[in-house]
């Protein structure tokens, strides 16, 4: 059986020359960019543009990586476009393009920025569910998925599989949360969208990642690498191993492997280029929230009185901008005098509010029992 190629290049900074050299090296191990695109192809570059963050916050795919790749696509005679749909409720997409640095790339290289909302959408079906996906996906000849390695307080991990969830336009992303309140149901939807939007190539920004309470309010963590593969499931699996997280504990990875969407065994992967050492001290969010699904609902209601983790706001950091209130899919938040207020009985714990906060004002408030059980929740 032929092994699945995963290419890795060392990359210690976002300095343009270093990024370009690492990118060349990484892609050359897979036969070069030309083996994926033809002249005049419309090539959709899909970075992670979760919120209007500055590049050094490490929330979004770094613009230097996007720029260098866009330049290479142009050299091949193809047409790169950059597109994404941020999380939550927002009015001003310009702010996102500007903060993330993608607007500068567009001006410098003369390439189009595609707003997934205004591009229109089409309905795609999988596993008996309907998903609206941006027309930008349909219009592209080639899709290059450009995720960043980050933790995720709800899904544990966000990388190749989860990044394609951004092809669902706008607030519909939060609405899917509402319709699939259990974490494993939501992970199934994330996998469906990955399968439906299936990228041609996945190129991972692992120069700096995010650890702790990601994907928006965690801590930047230097990892020093760029990775690439045509198989996003294999990439996510490999990176989990590298960061000492068993891949089956990440619901989206486990489900994608089970569905045969990609390679889930290290022994079936052909690692080309640099073989990085395992990162022993990467900080993961607690993943025990998933275990509550195993408990019968009558019992879980009683247990949840004592065993909970829920979003809370630090008043010292909150600017009372209400972005989080408008992004809640079940209206479990309302405007407050100093900070927004929660109605926890309606909250489905999707953490959309936490993802969109531009001021890192959220934290997860945890009961004593939750904290106690977290200590026994090992990543092995
Ligand atoms: S928590 Fe964040 S998003 Fe919500 S009102 Fe405060 S600053 Fe705005
Ligand atoms: S308040 Fe609860 S339901 Fe609303 S966005 Fe936050 S976590 Fe999701």
């Amino acid at each position: 059986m032929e092994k699945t190629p995963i290419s890795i290049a060392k990359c210690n900074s976002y300095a343009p020359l270093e990024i370009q050299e690492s990118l060349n090296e990484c892609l050359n191990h897979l036969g070069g960019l030309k083996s994926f695109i033809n002249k005049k192809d419309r090539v959709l570059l899909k970075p992670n543009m979760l919120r209007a963050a500055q590049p050094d916050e490490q929330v979004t795919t770094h613009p230097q990586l996007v720029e260098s790749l866009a330049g290479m696509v142009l050299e091949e005679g193809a047409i790169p476009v950059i597109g994404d749909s941020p999380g939550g409720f927002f009015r001003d997409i310009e702010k996102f393009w500007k903060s993330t640095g993608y607007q500068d790339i567009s001006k410098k290289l003369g390439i189009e920025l595609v707003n997934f909302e205004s591009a229109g959408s089409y309905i795609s079906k999988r596993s008996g569910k309907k998903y609206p996906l941006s027309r930008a996906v349909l219009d592209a000849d080639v899709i290059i998925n450009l995720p960043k390695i980050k933790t995720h307080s709800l899904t544990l991990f966000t990388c190749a599989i989860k990044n394609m969830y951004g092809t669902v336009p706008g607030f519909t992303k939060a609405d899917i949360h509402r319709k699939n309140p259990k974490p494993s149901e939501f992970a199934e939807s994330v996998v469906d969208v990955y399968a439906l939007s299936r990228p041609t190539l996945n190129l991972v920004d692992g120069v700096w990642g995010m650890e702790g309470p990601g994907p928006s309010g965690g801590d930047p963590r230097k990892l020093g690498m760029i990775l690439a593969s045509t198989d996003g499931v294999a990439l996510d699996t490999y990176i989990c191993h590298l960061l000492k997280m068993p891949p089956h504990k990440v619901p989206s990875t486990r489900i994608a492997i089970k569905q045969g969407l990609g390679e889930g065994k290290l022994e079936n992967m052909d690692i080309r280029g640099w073989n990085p050492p395992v990162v022993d001290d990467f900080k993961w969010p607690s993943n025990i929230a998933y275990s509550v699904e195993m408990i019968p609902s009558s019992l879980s209601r009683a247990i949840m009185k004592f065993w909970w983790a829920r979003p809370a706001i630090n008043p010292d950091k909150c600017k009372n901008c209400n972005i989080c209130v408008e992004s809640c899919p079940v209206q479990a938040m309302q405007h407050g005098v100093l900070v927004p207020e929660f109605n926890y009985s309606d909250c489905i714990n999707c953490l959309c509010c936490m993802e969109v906060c531009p001021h890192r004002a959220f934290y997860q408030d945890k009961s004593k029992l939750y904290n106690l059980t977290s200590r026994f929740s090992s990543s092995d």
Side-chain angles (χ1 to χ4, degrees):
M1 191 183 85
E2 215 170 296
K3 292 189 173 190
T4 303
I6 302 266
S7 172
I8 311 168
K10 226 180 203 177
C11 189
N12 276 313
S13 79
Y14 291 111
L17 199 61
E18 188 164 5
I19 286 285
Q20 192 62 67
E21 280 175 4
S22 300
L23 202 47
N24 290 342
E25 191 190 324
C26 199
L27 291 172
N28 285 343
H29 288 305
L30 300 178
L33 190 60
K34 62 178 169 305
S35 51
F36 301 103
I37 57 179
N38 296 312
K39 276 193 172 54
K40 301 216 164 81
D41 272 352
R42 184 174 170 90
V43 182
L44 173 63
L45 308 182
K46 161 65 183 81
N48 182 328
M49 190 171 71
L50 177 65
R51 65 171 169 86
Q54 300 289 322
D56 59 5
E57 291 183 72
Q58 309 304 344
V59 171
T60 50
T61 307
H62 200 280
Q64 189 54 56
L65 187 65
V66 182
E67 180 180 332
S68 298
L69 182 65
M72 291 170 82
V73 172
L74 283 169
E75 276 170 24
E76 294 299 328
I79 306 150
V81 299
I82 303 169
D84 198 10
S85 164
F89 181 87
F90 62 92
R91 290 189 184 91
D92 184 9
I93 188 86
E94 296 301 316
K95 203 171 146 193
F96 287 74
W97 296 129
K98 207 171 167 187
S99 303
T100 53
Y102 303 152
Q103 191 178 72
D104 286 345
I105 304 171
S106 161
K107 284 182 183 159
K108 193 169 165 188
L109 301 181
I111 62 179
E112 188 188 344
L113 297 173
V114 185
N115 175 357
F116 282 180
E117 281 73 50
S118 53
S121 60
Y122 66 101
I123 299 293
S124 228
K125 286 186 199 158
R126 189 167 192 266
S127 325
K129 290 182 191 165
K130 287 180 184 171
Y131 297 96
L133 300 187
S134 172
R135 271 207 71 88
V137 170
L138 208 58
D139 292 345
D141 298 301
V142 172
I143 298 175
I144 303 185
N145 183 18
L146 289 166
K148 192 169 182 77
I149 299 175
K150 293 190 293 178
T151 51
H152 195 293
S153 296
L154 177 71
T155 64
L156 258 191
F157 181 51
T158 167
C159 197
I161 298 171
K162 175 75 168 58
N163 194 46
M164 294 311 291
Y165 189 63
T167 57
V168 175
F171 199 66
T172 316
K173 283 194 280 298
D175 203 42
I176 293 174
H177 271 289
R178 185 182 61 78
K179 289 179 182 150
N180 300 276
K182 287 187 179 172
S184 60
E185 285 172 353
F186 177 64
E188 275 175 24
S189 294
V190 166
V191 171
D192 282 343
V193 173
Y194 171 77
L196 292 169
S197 62
R198 207 133 194 205
T200 316
L201 177 68
N202 305 274
L203 188 81
V204 179
D205 176 359
V207 183
W208 280 80
M210 179 174 279
E211 63 181 2
S216 177
D219 301 311
R221 172 71 193 254
K222 189 171 177 187
L223 297 166
M225 66 188 87
I226 292 173
L227 307 94
S229 179
T230 53
D231 183 339
V233 180
L235 265 177
D236 281 8
T237 303
Y238 175 80
I239 295 166
C240 280
H241 280 292
L242 201 60
L243 302 177
K244 285 202 88 177
M245 170 56 72
H248 68 268
K249 290 204 171 181
V250 177
S252 56
T253 313
R254 182 181 63 239
I255 294 166
I257 293 170
K258 199 172 162 201
Q259 293 184 2
L261 286 175
E263 184 52 61
K265 289 190 177 144
L266 277 187
E267 61 268 30
N268 293 340
M269 295 179 199
D270 172 13
I271 308 302
R272 300 177 181 178
W274 186 45
N275 207 342
V278 167
V279 182
D280 278 322
D281 59 348
F282 192 76
K283 293 189 189 74
W284 288 92
S286 157
N287 68 340
I288 58 174
Y290 287 89
S291 55
V292 80
E293 291 187 36
M294 313 302 283
I295 303 169
S297 59
S298 52
L299 204 57
S300 76
R301 269 194 293 278
I303 290 173
M304 294 296 269
K305 281 189 185 161
F306 308 99
W307 188 87
W308 47 261
R310 59 197 188 190
I313 295 172
N314 178 346
D316 294 338
K317 291 187 177 173
C318 178
K319 308 281 184 228
N320 216 3
C321 66
N322 276 313
I323 291 176
C324 55
V325 177
E326 289 172 335
S327 298
C328 176
V330 293
Q331 289 83 46
M333 301 181 78
Q334 60 189 42
H335 179 65
V337 180
L338 296 174
V339 300
E341 290 165 3
F342 294 91
N343 180 355
Y344 286 120
S345 58
D346 289 343
C347 173
I348 56 169
N349 228 345
C350 66
L351 305 184
C352 291
C353 48
M354 209 163 169
E355 277 186 21
V356 297
C357 175
H359 302 289
R360 294 165 56 105
F362 275 89
Y363 63 96
Q364 262 190 307
D365 192 16
K366 294 168 186 169
S367 67
K368 281 190 185 137
L369 186 62
Y370 192 99
N371 275 328
L372 193 70
T373 46
S374 295
R375 279 191 224 142
F376 302 107
S377 166
S378 116
S379 62
D380 298 323

